[in-house]
Structure formats: C-alpha cells, structure tokens
Amino acid sequence: MRKIEYLFSLVMLLALCACGDTSKATIEGKITGADITEVRVIYCADDKVNYLTEPLKKGKFEFEIKLKEPAVIEFYTPEKLFFGRIYVEAGDNIECKFNLAEPNKSEVTGNEVSERWIKFLRENSAVIDSGDSKEINAVVAQYINNNKADVLSTLLLMSQYITMENSVEAMKLLSSIAPEARPQSLVAGYEAMLERENNVKTNDNVHFISYFSRNDTTATLSSRNASYTLLAFSDDFSRNKDNIAMRLKELSEKYDKNRLQILEISLDSDTVLWKKSIKKDSADWQQGWVVGAAASPYIERLGIYRLPFYIVADSTGRQLYRGASIKDIETEVTKQLN
C-alpha cells in the first residue's frame, strides 16, 4: 500500500497548509496484525508539515491536533512503512482500526469522507494491490467522472492515481472536479507537482551528472560513454524495499558496459545512510550520492518526485523512459538492446 513515498507525501501534505481559524481534532486508533510499539504520524497544520511519534499502549494510541483547514493524516510503522491515511476536519473525533496483516479489514469512523475513502479502497483492493497502473487509474477516473462534486474524488486522484506518464490526464481529471470539491488549500501542491512533471524540463537531455562515488571521489557520468544509460534514483528505504541492487546487478551482468551503463544515485539526506545501505553490495555498476538530494540542480530539472525512480536515455541523452517500476525498466532496456 505504500504507493507514495515520503517525497510525494510531503508534496501532498504541504498542499494542505492554509490560513484560517484553528480548532482541534482527536484521533484514536488500534493496531492489530503486527507487533509494533509506536506509530509515526505525518500531517500538515500551522503552515508546516508536522511529525508525531505516538507510543502504543496495548495496541492503542490517541492524540490531538490543531487544524486550520481539513487535513490528510498519514500513518507509518517505525520502519517508515505506510499503512493508512485519513481525512480529518476541525472538531472531528475519529476512531481508526488498522489491521497491518490484512489492510482490507481496517476501519475508520468519525468522518464521513474518511469512511467512504476506506470503503473505496476495500472494495477496489484487488485492482489497487495488482499494481496495474492502467486498471488503477481507470477505477479512480471512473469514480471522479461519476462524483465531480465530491472531495473524495480529489483525495483519490492525489493519493491513488498513478501520474507517471499520465500527468496530462491527471490534470484534466483535476480540472473536471467541481471547484468546491478541490479547494486550493488542498490541491495547490498537487497542481505544482503535475505542472512540474509536464514541464519541458522533465524532457531535458541527460548529458552529464556529477556525483560523489562510493570511493569518496567526484565523478561524472556522460551519456556518450554507452549506447544507453540507466539512471536509478532511490533512498535507503526504497532501495532495500524493492531489492534494487539485485535487479541492477542482473542488468549489469547481462549487457556490456559499452551498450548499457548504469548509475544508481542515492537521494538520502546524508552519506551515512547511503554508505550503510550499499555496504554489502558487490556492485560493478556506478553508484553515487548528490549534495542536496532531489533539490540538486542535476536532479531537480529531471522532475523526480517519488522513489524509486528510473530513467533510460540514449547516447545523445534523450530520455526514452521515465517511471517507477523496475520491471518496466527491464522491459524497456531489453527492447532497446535486443
């Protein structure tokens, strides 16, 4: 279910920051299906993204937040594994029951929109769990087209719709939702993300990328050094979760480096996390870290907003593929090189 990583979560949550009167909301929860001692909470209020760590007592937690505008609250395990999301308004008293072993059995009461949100996820779990972007987007688009005056349409678009290679259609869907169901305080950040993905910068040629290598030296990748270049962007969490190293190793061993060069770029906040995650690698592909992570000039212009993320380019630096699926990357590389 962790469809969106911290990068995307922050974009969406920042969109919820707005001015207005502050009131309170109370959230109570119960966790089953996993042995954890605390939950991590992310939400936007007071014009900033807020982080909470709530201890569990006999599997239960309770906290109170102050809100200026409706907010989306996200829940994570101590290992940063996403497991739930709710929509909350000032004055709400919300009760959550999250089953980490069987997410479809989770329940939310106390906010009508959140109740319908979790019902939608439960009824469409087979499609969502399949990971098929076309099917997932079709289900979300169908709901939006049938419920254009419903704020849940906006929430589903922002959280479930896979915008990768579908950002133009996502913008059309967003525009089709009634203004009262897509308040600017909710969608500003999402619109900015879509505009960034649609921007010509995301189609810039990838000629050179400078980075710090695993040997603590400065290195530069040039697209001219091979027929095709594969760029893999990740952080400590996404790299280990998706077993990226193993998949890159398979590609590296399959193709000659003159035909395919691979650069795995860490967007961790510091080199300590990066070095720890690659310590056991026997990598024969290039690995590096860039200062500033996603805000680096080399990276920012590529319009990366989620991890992992992959780009395939030819020898001229022209981008041939952009996406978040390592399986699709393997298909694209095979198509280009065979």
Side-chain angles (χ1 to χ4, degrees):
M1 289 184 65
R2 193 178 186 270
K3 189 169 296 299
I4 55 177
E5 308 289 349
Y6 270 12
L7 285 176
F8 182 68
S9 298
L10 294 180
V11 170
M12 187 174 79
L13 292 170
L14 279 169
L16 302 176
C17 297
C19 298
D21 295 331
T22 300
S23 189
K24 296 179 180 179
T26 300
I27 295 87
E28 299 179 27
K30 182 177 181 180
I31 305 294
T32 59
D35 185 19
I36 60 175
T37 59
E38 63 184 26
V39 295
R40 296 188 178 191
V41 180
I42 304 177
Y43 70 98
C44 188
D46 298 328
D47 303 320
K48 63 181 180 180
V49 175
N50 297 273
Y51 300 85
L52 300 176
T53 299
E54 295 297 324
L56 293 178
K57 297 180 180 179
K58 295 183 179 180
K60 297 181 179 181
F61 64 86
E62 180 178 354
F63 60 91
E64 188 178 81
I65 62 174
K66 294 181 179 180
L67 296 174
K68 294 180 178 179
E69 294 285 340
V72 171
I73 299 178
E74 295 189 339
F75 299 90
Y76 294 82
T77 67
E79 294 75 29
K80 299 181 182 179
L81 177 65
F82 168 80
F83 65 82
R85 185 184 291 116
I86 62 173
Y87 176 81
V88 58
E89 299 173 285
D92 281 348
N93 290 290
I94 295 181
E95 293 186 9
C96 311
K97 295 180 181 179
F98 293 116
N99 188 320
L100 274 60
E102 300 179 83
N104 295 332
K105 293 185 178 180
S106 297
E107 301 176 9
V108 176
T109 58
N111 180 284
E112 186 265 344
V113 175
S114 285
E115 292 170 12
R116 291 190 292 110
W117 194 352
I118 201 165
K119 180 182 178 182
F120 176 93
L121 296 178
R122 181 166 55 247
E123 293 177 347
N124 294 280
S125 61
V127 173
I128 294 171
D129 293 343
S130 73
D132 188 316
S133 60
K134 290 184 179 179
E135 291 190 13
I136 294 171
N137 288 356
V139 168
V140 173
Q142 181 180 26
Y143 186 91
I144 294 172
N145 290 328
N146 293 334
N147 301 275
K148 295 184 177 180
D150 185 356
V151 69
L152 181 55
S153 291
T154 298
L155 296 173
L156 289 174
L157 179 63
M158 294 172 66
S159 64
Q160 299 301 138
Y161 193 86
I162 299 173
T163 62
M164 200 76 65
E165 300 182 350
N166 299 289
S167 55
V168 174
E169 184 61 29
M171 187 65 82
K172 291 179 181 178
L173 286 170
L174 181 62
S175 300
S176 74
I177 300 173
E180 63 271 19
R182 54 174 174 89
Q184 193 64 17
S185 61
L186 188 66
V187 303
Y190 184 69
E191 284 183 322
M193 183 191 70
L194 290 179
E195 290 173 358
R196 183 182 181 188
E197 187 170 347
N198 287 326
N199 193 288
V200 68
K201 287 184 177 181
T202 62
N203 295 315
D204 276 356
N205 286 350
V206 185
H207 291 304
F208 302 98
I209 293 182
S210 294
Y211 60 93
F212 287 105
S213 73
R214 61 184 299 162
N215 298 321
D216 296 321
T217 58
T218 302
T220 300
L221 174 136
S222 170
S223 62
R224 299 174 182 175
N225 291 339
S227 299
Y228 296 94
T229 297
L230 167 57
L231 302 176
F233 302 89
S234 65
D235 60 4
D236 176 56
F237 180 88
S238 61
R239 186 175 192 272
N240 294 323
K241 176 177 178 291
D242 289 1
N243 206 358
I244 292 174
M246 183 187 74
R247 311 297 284 271
L248 294 182
K249 184 176 180 63
E250 291 174 354
L251 287 172
S252 178
E253 293 177 346
K254 185 176 182 180
Y255 299 105
D256 183 86
K257 290 179 175 54
N258 291 325
R259 301 190 68 203
L260 176 68
Q261 62 176 343
I262 299 174
L263 171 58
E264 181 187 3
I265 300 177
S266 165
L267 297 186
D268 282 306
S269 57
D270 58 59
T271 57
V272 175
L273 285 174
W274 170 51
K275 288 291 187 67
K276 182 179 179 181
S277 72
I278 66 172
K279 186 176 181 179
K280 296 181 180 180
D281 285 354
S282 56
D284 59 354
W285 62 93
Q286 301 175 68
Q287 293 179 304
W289 177 85
V290 292
V291 177
S296 164
Y298 291 104
I299 308 305
E300 191 276 336
R301 66 184 178 85
L302 297 176
I304 295 169
Y305 64 89
R306 66 175 67 190
L307 296 174
F309 193 88
Y310 307 93
I311 294 176
V312 175
D314 63 17
S315 60
T316 69
R318 180 170 61 95
Q319 295 185 47
L320 304 175
Y321 174 86
R322 297 167 54 83
S325 168
I326 187 66
K327 182 178 179 180
D328 289 347
I329 275 291
E330 292 169 333
T331 300
E332 180 65 26
V333 169
T334 299
K335 181 178 72 174
Q336 297 294 337
L337 292 174
N338 289 348

